[in-house]
Amino acid sequence: MVIRALQPADFDALYAIYSDLEVVANNRFLPYISRNRFEAMFKDDQYNFVCCADDGEILGHLAIIGSNKPRIRHVVSFGIAVSKRIRGQGVGRQLMQHLIDYCDNWLNVRRIELEVHANNEAALGLYNTFGFELEGAKKQAVFVNGQFIDILLMARLNGRS
């Protein structure tokens, strides 16, 4: 597997990943998002990467979202999606490792924060492995498949002084 910057030719494969109803259930978008709306999610103020198999197949996506506001330039959030076909085989772990390395060694990020659905046990386990700590919860903050779900707030601080 290799991680590289997102290219325009990757959008078809990413659209298929993000159209999967399991992925939809764990993000803030409605099912069956239009292609135009989907492509609009990829803004200039974020860093986008894909994880590819040796044959070039897109296996997952990482978006690192920062801010140009002076007081919070040291903080980023992120999103990850992995192809249903390959889940549980290390793609999310590879993307998380890339996130940590890129933020700590290239972006000079002090704080990486995230929001995750409280029922997303696989993601919670992954984030805990990478040193993310629970900071709080938004009660009944997202509506998915007919029910309200809590969103957990987590963060990881870079240990540099």
Side-chain angles (χ1 to χ4, degrees), residues 75-124:
V75 178
V76 298
S77 61
F78 69 96
I80 285 181
V82 176
S83 171
K84 184 177 186 173
R85 184 186 75 69
I86 197 85
R87 279 190 207 129
Q89 298 183 37
V91 172
R93 183 168 300 283
Q94 291 270 2
L95 290 168
M96 287 297 296
Q97 190 60 55
H98 187 77
L99 166 75
I100 302 297
D101 176 65
Y102 204 77
C103 288
D104 288 357
N105 298 310
W106 295 98
L107 296 178
N108 197 25
V109 166
R110 176 76 177 176
R111 175 185 170 87
I112 304 171
E113 55 189 26
L114 65 91
E115 295 185 356
V116 60
H117 295 187
N119 63 348
N120 190 343
E121 294 178 21
L124 287 166

Side-chain angles (χ1 to χ4, degrees), residues 41-48 61 63-66:
M41 294 184 331
F42 299 89
K43 304 174 206 144
D44 290 336
D45 61 345
Q46 64 188 32
Y47 303 91
N48 287 285
H61 171 245
I64 304 172
I65 304 111

Side-chain angles (χ1 to χ4, degrees), residues 2-140:
V2 66
I3 295 179
R4 63 167 172 75
L6 175 71
Q7 300 170 358
D10 301 330
F11 281 118
D12 286 341
L14 286 186
Y15 185 67
I17 290 171
Y18 279 93
S19 295
D20 180 274
L21 292 181
E22 287 180 34
V23 173
V24 170
N26 286 300
N27 67 38
R28 304 300 173 342
F29 305 102
L30 291 172
Y32 317 111
I33 187 171
S34 74
R35 181 64 184 257
N36 288 340
R37 277 195 132 165
F38 173 76
E39 289 188 22
M41 294 184 331
F42 299 89
K43 304 174 206 144
D44 290 336
D45 61 345
Q46 64 188 32
Y47 303 91
N48 287 285
F49 300 93
V50 291
C51 182
C52 303
D54 293 337
D55 65 1
E57 177 189 4
I58 305 296
L59 306 174
H61 171 245
L62 164 67
I64 304 172
I65 304 111
S67 174
N68 60 4
K69 295 177 182 172
R71 291 181 153 186
I72 58 170
R73 282 190 189 134
H74 65 286
V75 178
V76 298
S77 61
F78 69 96
I80 285 181
V82 176
S83 171
K84 184 177 186 173
R85 184 186 75 69
I86 197 85
R87 279 190 207 129
Q89 298 183 37
V91 172
R93 183 168 300 283
Q94 291 270 2
L95 290 168
M96 287 297 296
Q97 190 60 55
H98 187 77
L99 166 75
I100 302 297
D101 176 65
Y102 204 77
C103 288
D104 288 357
N105 298 310
W106 295 98
L107 296 178
N108 197 25
V109 166
R110 176 76 177 176
R111 175 185 170 87
I112 304 171
E113 55 189 26
L114 65 91
E115 295 185 356
V116 60
H117 295 187
N119 63 348
N120 190 343
E121 294 178 21
L124 287 166
L126 183 64
Y127 301 148
N128 284 322
T129 301
F130 281 91
F132 285 80
E133 296 179 8
L134 181 65
E135 293 188 332
K138 295 179 180 180
K139 299 294 184 186
Q140 299 183 13

